[in-house]
Amino acid sequence: LDKGLVTLSDTVPTGVKHFPGNSKPIEDVGRVNKGYVSFERALEMSSNVGISQLVFDNYGSAAKRKTFAEDLKQYFKFEKLGLDIDVHEPRPYIGSTKNQKDLLWSSYGYVSRMTPLQMLTFYNAIANDGRMVKPMFVQSVIRDGIVQEEFETVVLSENICKKDTRDKLHNILKGVVQRGTGRRLRSASYGIAGKSGT
């Protein structure tokens, strides 16, 4: 979306699909086949097939495969967050996308690793109008009513994507809860946006 390679109304297949260069088919959970749906709907229903199709169309050639990982790194740097609490944080990792199988698998979350807190930091940036901040566990230390130490917000990226992209993502993530895989949360008395998936 941010690079203008797709629009929300582009259509993609769902269900099960064999891609050239991949020995096994890509399947949606439960092999749910809704035929061709919009990219927006594919995200709402967490369609592995639909997302793989878009990645295949835009990055499937041998010359473009490695640029997929580079493009992902533009939005999430795949570096440690440098947490203030020593939790032996591993460095996020994107695997090779040199072959077709790994490219397709990485399109919906496989062949990469990040901790839940690293993933949450990324989604928080989307919710926070594109501003990615380091997780803060303590705002200040107070002893006997006197502030001993205060901690400032550390900005990791002032803006991870264009405003238009963020606005579209906000609507998609609301749609996930209203019409997609997060439907069990839609009866909450306050609005929820989210994303299920790998």
Side-chain angles (χ1 to χ4, degrees):
L1 278 174
D2 205 48
K3 292 184 175 299
L5 300 175
V6 298
T7 68
L8 293 181
S9 60
D10 286 351
T11 57
V12 292
T14 62
V16 178
K17 180 161 182 180
H18 288 271
F19 287 89
N22 195 30
S23 58
K24 293 184 177 179
I26 304 290
E27 299 179 6
D28 285 335
V29 174
R31 293 185 164 217
V32 173
N33 189 338
K34 301 284 186 183
Y36 277 79
V37 299
S38 68
F39 170 50
E40 181 174 18
R41 181 67 183 132
L43 285 170
E44 289 175 355
M45 62 184 278
S46 204
S47 171
N48 296 340
V49 173
I51 303 311
S52 293
Q53 183 69 61
L54 289 173
V55 169
F56 179 80
D57 291 346
N58 289 287
Y59 296 95
S61 70
K64 293 199 112 186
R65 274 186 218 132
K66 71 177 184 178
T67 63
F68 183 64
E70 292 167 7
D71 284 353
L72 289 177
K73 287 177 185 175
Q74 180 182 340
Y75 299 99
F76 186 87
K77 305 300 183 214
F78 285 84
E79 297 295 334
K80 291 182 180 183
L81 296 171
L83 301 172
D84 295 324
I85 297 174
D86 184 11
V87 292
H88 304 291
E89 178 189 15
R91 185 175 183 268
Y93 167 81
I94 301 176
S96 169
T97 54
K98 290 179 183 172
N99 66 56
Q100 200 69 274
K101 175 187 163 202
D102 287 348
L103 174 73
L104 293 169
W105 280 31
S106 79
S107 70
Y108 53 93
Y110 284 46
V111 195
S112 62
R113 290 190 303 257
M114 64 175 56
T115 67
L117 189 56
Q118 290 163 346
M119 180 65 82
L120 183 60
T121 299
F122 176 75
Y123 274 94
N124 183 63
I126 295 169
N128 197 27
D129 287 329
R131 191 172 194 237
M132 184 182 286
V133 298
K134 177 178 162 181
M136 180 185 280
F137 300 100
V138 177
Q139 186 173 10
S140 61
V141 176
I142 300 172
R143 182 177 293 132
D144 297 326
I146 299 169
V147 175
Q148 303 292 313
E149 190 174 1
E150 288 189 90
F151 300 91
E152 298 294 322
T153 299
V154 176
V155 178
L156 302 175
S157 177
E158 202 57 62
N159 203 351
I160 65 168
C161 63
K162 298 173 189 160
K163 181 184 184 320
D164 182 56
T165 304
R166 285 193 320 268
D167 292 345
K168 289 174 182 173
L169 287 172
H170 288 173
N171 289 330
I172 290 167
L173 297 175
K174 290 174 188 173
V176 168
V177 175
Q178 292 302 311
R179 299 174 295 281
T181 51
R183 286 187 309 274
R184 286 181 285 180
L185 297 174
R186 70 179 165 196
S187 61
S189 58
Y190 48 87
I192 298 178
K195 182 72 186 79
S196 69
T198 302

